[in-house]
Each structure stands twice: as C-alpha cells, then as structure tokens.
Amino acid sequence: MSEIRESETDNIDRMGHVLRAYEGIRRMMFYSEIVPGQKISYRDLSDRLGMSQTPIIQALKWLEFQQLVRHEPNRGYYTAPVDPKEVEEIYDLREIIEVSLLPKILQRVDVEGMQKIEIAVNDHLTASREIYLNERLRKDMALHLVLAEVSGCSVQHQVLRNLFNLLYLKYGGNILFSTSMKSADTEHLRLFEAIAKKDLKTSRKILTQHIRRVKDHVLAGLAKSFQAKADAGL
C-alpha cells in the first residue's frame, strides 16, 4: 500500500510540474516573451521556469493539442506565424457566437448577473487607463466571457474561450493592436445599458459594430506591420 501511495504522490507531483510549465508558457506567449514564428527552446524554457525539460515537453504537447504551437519531427516545437486570414475568421466566429447569445443573456440575466457584467465593465474601464496593452486585452476578454457565462450556454462559452486563446496566446497580446480605448469604453457602457433595459435590437447593433470595428482595426494594424517589414526587407 505504501508503494501505491508513493506512486500516486509521484504522479501528482509530476502533473503539478507539467501544469506549472503549461501556465508559464501560456503567460510568456500572452506577454509576447515567445513570439509568433519562433522556435521554442526547451533549454531556455527550462532555465526560465526553473524545472527540467520533461514537464516542459509535456506542457508543449498540451499546447499543440490546443493548436497554440506546432511540432515538426526532428526539429522541435514552433509557434505559428501570424496569419491575418485566421485572425479575421476568429473575429467573424466571435461575432456569430456572441451576438447569437444575446437573446439568452437578456432572458436569463438577473440582479446577480447584471452585477457581474457591471464589475467586468468597470474592471475594463480601470485597466484601459493603465500603460500595458496586455492588461486591457485580458480585462476585455473577461468582460466578453462574463456575458457568455450569463447566457448559460456552456458550450458556446468554452468555444469563445478557445477563440480568445487563439488570439491572445497564439499571436501574443502585443501583436494585436488594441482598439481605441475611448471607443471601447463607450461601447461597453452602451452595451451594459442596453442589456439592463433588455433592449435586444440595440444590444445586437452595439455588439456587432463593436466586434467588427475591433476586427477592422486589428487587421489594418497587421497589414501595416507586414508592409513595414516588407519595406525593411525582412
């Protein structure tokens, strides 16, 4: 029995190291410490995370399953290069999912739900006045996920979370150009007010325009970045 307990303890310890490696790599991707198109060095991650390469490789396998990194036989793991078409598709799917959830949100939202949404809106308002883009992106993501949560549609909520992972982890927070802070603040407040009034038509209009404007802003920023690299011969 003692050998079995020791084996279980060892397994738990190993999984704990893998989880720590997984969260550490995700954090590096979000803060663009690992950038799109980069070869991932096991040794570098081992040094930075203070652990052996074994849990790091296992964590990368998890990330590969989520399509956040890719594995090339005999070469190792890489992050994917920026693909504007994929970014556009992600925002288009976000629009379909988020707008389709509005009737359920308005039907189910109660006092507690409105409080959750209000807290998320205020958190973004506070974050939007900070220096770091990543914090604004994280709070924006939290707001949209709270709305999906209030709808009670767990599958759509998980799909939406996966889409945000693709945007903010696969491409890195600083790769995506943030939309105007003032415009985002205004749109979030207007959406909150429309939901509070249970005004479906206005909610749909605001959310659709918001997601499309952000998409256009991001794609324009990516196109500008690509052109700058081409002009520099990179």
Side-chain angles (χ1 to χ4, degrees), residues 174-189:
N174 286 329
I175 297 296
L176 302 177
F177 294 79
S178 179
T179 185
S180 164
M181 288 185 289
K182 185 176 180 180
S183 297
D185 290 349
T186 301
E187 288 163 355
H188 286 162
L189 286 169

Side-chain angles (χ1 to χ4, degrees), residues 80-94:
V82 175
D83 181 355
K85 183 176 182 297
E86 182 178 56
V87 173
E88 182 176 12
E89 289 178 3
I90 290 171
Y91 277 104
D92 288 343
L93 186 52
R94 272 192 58 191

Side-chain angles (χ1 to χ4, degrees), residues 13-199:
D13 288 342
R14 281 195 292 270
M15 290 305 298
H17 286 303
V18 173
L19 180 59
R20 188 160 66 86
Y22 172 77
E23 294 294 346
I25 296 170
R26 282 169 57 96
R27 185 171 56 253
M28 291 178 191
M29 294 174 72
F30 181 72
Y31 285 101
S32 298
E33 295 172 17
I34 300 174
V35 299
Q38 173 183 333
K39 186 179 189 306
I40 299 173
S41 168
Y42 303 150
R43 179 176 297 178
D44 178 59
L45 290 180
S46 178
D47 291 341
R48 293 166 72 178
L49 295 174
M51 62 177 65
S52 70
Q53 295 182 17
T54 300
I56 288 170
I57 294 172
Q58 188 63 51
L60 288 170
K61 290 180 181 178
W62 288 2
L63 293 166
E64 181 187 14
F65 178 76
Q66 296 174 320
Q67 299 182 10
L68 298 176
V69 301
R70 73 178 193 276
H71 181 260
E72 295 186 9
N74 302 317
R75 298 189 63 189
Y77 284 93
Y78 291 78
T79 51
V82 175
D83 181 355
K85 183 176 182 297
E86 182 178 56
V87 173
E88 182 176 12
E89 289 178 3
I90 290 171
Y91 277 104
D92 288 343
L93 186 52
R94 272 192 58 191
E95 179 184 334
I96 292 171
I97 293 173
E98 294 190 57
V99 174
S100 73
L101 290 178
L102 282 171
K104 291 283 183 66
I105 293 171
L106 269 59
Q107 178 185 352
R108 290 174 52 90
V109 70
D110 53 14
V111 173
E112 182 181 354
M114 287 306 303
Q115 289 175 342
K116 287 182 178 180
I117 298 171
E118 185 176 18
I119 289 171
V121 170
N122 289 333
D123 282 348
H124 183 266
L125 287 172
T126 302
S128 69
R129 286 159 178 78
E130 296 176 6
I131 297 173
Y132 299 107
L133 167 63
N134 299 88
E135 184 66 10
R136 296 197 298 270
L137 292 175
R138 189 173 67 82
K139 294 299 178 65
D140 178 79
M141 174 180 67
L143 169 58
H144 287 271
L145 288 176
V146 163
L147 289 171
E149 178 187 351
V150 170
S151 76
C153 299
S154 59
V155 174
Q156 289 93 324
H157 179 265
Q158 184 57 51
V159 171
L160 189 60
R161 182 180 294 278
N162 291 339
L163 291 176
F164 275 112
N165 278 339
L166 283 174
L167 277 175
Y168 295 163
L169 296 180
K170 185 173 182 178
Y171 293 119
N174 286 329
I175 297 296
L176 302 177
F177 294 79
S178 179
T179 185
S180 164
M181 288 185 289
K182 185 176 180 180
S183 297
D185 290 349
T186 301
E187 288 163 355
H188 286 162
L189 286 169
R190 289 176 59 216
L191 180 60
F192 172 76
E193 292 169 358
I195 291 174
K197 296 176 182 177
K198 296 189 181 295
D199 185 340

